[in-house]
Short mmCIF file of all heavy atoms in Angstrom, two decimals:
data_model
loop_
_atom_site.label_atom_id
_atom_site.label_comp_id
_atom_site.label_asym_id
_atom_site.label_seq_id
_atom_site.Cartn_x
_atom_site.Cartn_y
_atom_site.Cartn_z
N ALA D 246 -12.53 10.31 30.78
CA ALA D 246 -13.94 10.50 30.44
C ALA D 246 -14.07 11.30 29.15
O ALA D 246 -13.32 12.26 28.92
CB ALA D 246 -14.65 11.22 31.58
N ALA D 247 -15.00 10.88 28.30
CA ALA D 247 -15.26 11.64 27.07
C ALA D 247 -15.94 12.95 27.43
O ALA D 247 -16.75 13.01 28.37
CB ALA D 247 -16.14 10.82 26.14
N PRO D 248 -15.64 14.02 26.70
CA PRO D 248 -16.24 15.32 27.03
C PRO D 248 -17.72 15.41 26.70
O PRO D 248 -18.38 16.38 27.05
CB PRO D 248 -15.42 16.30 26.18
CG PRO D 248 -14.94 15.48 25.03
CD PRO D 248 -14.70 14.12 25.58
N GLY D 249 -18.24 14.42 26.03
CA GLY D 249 -19.65 14.45 25.61
C GLY D 249 -19.77 13.94 24.20
O GLY D 249 -18.91 14.22 23.35
N ILE D 250 -20.84 13.22 23.92
CA ILE D 250 -20.98 12.59 22.62
C ILE D 250 -21.00 13.61 21.49
O ILE D 250 -20.58 13.33 20.37
CB ILE D 250 -22.26 11.71 22.60
CG1 ILE D 250 -22.24 10.76 21.40
CG2 ILE D 250 -23.50 12.59 22.58
CD1 ILE D 250 -21.22 9.68 21.50
N SER D 251 -21.46 14.81 21.77
CA SER D 251 -21.52 15.84 20.73
C SER D 251 -20.14 16.29 20.29
O SER D 251 -19.98 16.87 19.21
CB SER D 251 -22.33 17.05 21.22
OG SER D 251 -21.69 17.62 22.35
N HIS D 252 -19.13 16.03 21.12
CA HIS D 252 -17.76 16.41 20.78
C HIS D 252 -17.01 15.28 20.08
O HIS D 252 -15.85 15.46 19.69
CB HIS D 252 -16.99 16.82 22.04
CG HIS D 252 -17.53 18.03 22.72
ND1 HIS D 252 -17.34 19.31 22.23
CD2 HIS D 252 -18.28 18.17 23.84
CE1 HIS D 252 -17.94 20.19 23.04
NE2 HIS D 252 -18.52 19.52 24.02
N CYS D 253 -17.63 14.11 19.95
CA CYS D 253 -16.97 12.95 19.35
C CYS D 253 -17.28 12.85 17.86
O CYS D 253 -18.45 12.76 17.48
CB CYS D 253 -17.40 11.67 20.06
SG CYS D 253 -16.87 11.54 21.77
N GLU D 254 -16.25 12.88 17.07
CA GLU D 254 -16.40 12.68 15.63
C GLU D 254 -16.05 11.22 15.33
O GLU D 254 -14.89 10.82 15.46
CB GLU D 254 -15.47 13.61 14.87
CG GLU D 254 -15.53 13.48 13.36
CD GLU D 254 -14.50 14.35 12.67
OE1 GLU D 254 -13.86 15.19 13.34
OE2 GLU D 254 -14.32 14.18 11.45
N PHE D 255 -17.03 10.41 14.98
CA PHE D 255 -16.80 8.99 14.76
C PHE D 255 -16.20 8.77 13.37
O PHE D 255 -16.71 9.28 12.37
CB PHE D 255 -18.10 8.21 14.93
CG PHE D 255 -18.56 8.15 16.35
CD1 PHE D 255 -19.36 9.16 16.89
CD2 PHE D 255 -18.18 7.11 17.17
CE1 PHE D 255 -19.77 9.12 18.20
CE2 PHE D 255 -18.59 7.05 18.49
CZ PHE D 255 -19.38 8.07 19.02
N TRP D 256 -15.12 7.98 13.34
CA TRP D 256 -14.41 7.70 12.09
C TRP D 256 -14.57 6.23 11.73
O TRP D 256 -14.51 5.35 12.59
CB TRP D 256 -12.92 8.00 12.26
CG TRP D 256 -12.58 9.46 12.13
CD1 TRP D 256 -13.22 10.51 12.72
CD2 TRP D 256 -11.52 10.02 11.37
NE1 TRP D 256 -12.62 11.70 12.38
CE2 TRP D 256 -11.57 11.42 11.55
CE3 TRP D 256 -10.52 9.48 10.57
CZ2 TRP D 256 -10.66 12.28 10.94
CZ3 TRP D 256 -9.60 10.33 9.97
CH2 TRP D 256 -9.69 11.73 10.15
N ASP D 257 -14.74 5.97 10.43
CA ASP D 257 -14.71 4.59 9.98
C ASP D 257 -13.34 4.29 9.37
O ASP D 257 -12.47 5.17 9.28
CB ASP D 257 -15.83 4.29 8.98
CG ASP D 257 -15.78 5.15 7.73
OD1 ASP D 257 -14.68 5.64 7.37
OD2 ASP D 257 -16.82 5.35 7.08
N ARG D 258 -13.14 3.06 8.94
CA ARG D 258 -11.82 2.63 8.43
C ARG D 258 -11.44 3.38 7.15
O ARG D 258 -10.27 3.71 6.93
CB ARG D 258 -11.83 1.13 8.20
CG ARG D 258 -11.83 0.33 9.51
CD ARG D 258 -12.15 -1.14 9.28
NE ARG D 258 -11.97 -1.93 10.49
CZ ARG D 258 -12.84 -1.98 11.49
NH1 ARG D 258 -13.97 -1.27 11.42
NH2 ARG D 258 -12.60 -2.72 12.57
N ARG D 259 -12.42 3.65 6.32
CA ARG D 259 -12.14 4.35 5.06
C ARG D 259 -11.61 5.76 5.34
O ARG D 259 -10.67 6.23 4.69
CB ARG D 259 -13.41 4.42 4.22
CG ARG D 259 -13.21 5.02 2.84
CD ARG D 259 -14.47 4.93 2.00
NE ARG D 259 -14.74 3.55 1.59
CZ ARG D 259 -15.65 2.77 2.16
NH1 ARG D 259 -16.38 3.21 3.17
NH2 ARG D 259 -15.83 1.54 1.73
N MET D 260 -12.19 6.43 6.31
CA MET D 260 -11.73 7.77 6.67
C MET D 260 -10.30 7.72 7.17
O MET D 260 -9.47 8.59 6.85
CB MET D 260 -12.65 8.37 7.73
CG MET D 260 -14.06 8.67 7.24
SD MET D 260 -15.21 9.05 8.59
CE MET D 260 -14.55 10.62 9.17
N LEU D 261 -9.98 6.70 7.97
CA LEU D 261 -8.63 6.58 8.51
C LEU D 261 -7.61 6.36 7.39
O LEU D 261 -6.52 6.96 7.39
CB LEU D 261 -8.57 5.43 9.52
CG LEU D 261 -7.20 5.19 10.17
CD1 LEU D 261 -6.69 6.44 10.86
CD2 LEU D 261 -7.28 4.02 11.14
N LEU D 262 -7.96 5.52 6.41
CA LEU D 262 -7.04 5.26 5.31
C LEU D 262 -6.82 6.51 4.46
O LEU D 262 -5.69 6.81 4.05
CB LEU D 262 -7.57 4.12 4.44
CG LEU D 262 -7.58 2.74 5.08
CD1 LEU D 262 -8.18 1.72 4.12
CD2 LEU D 262 -6.18 2.32 5.50
#
Side-chain angles (χ1 to χ4, degrees):
I250 195 69
S251 62
H252 296 285
C253 294
E254 180 185 350
F255 289 87
W256 279 47
D257 60 25
R258 288 167 172 78
R259 185 174 289 102
M260 293 168 67
L261 180 57
L262 292 178

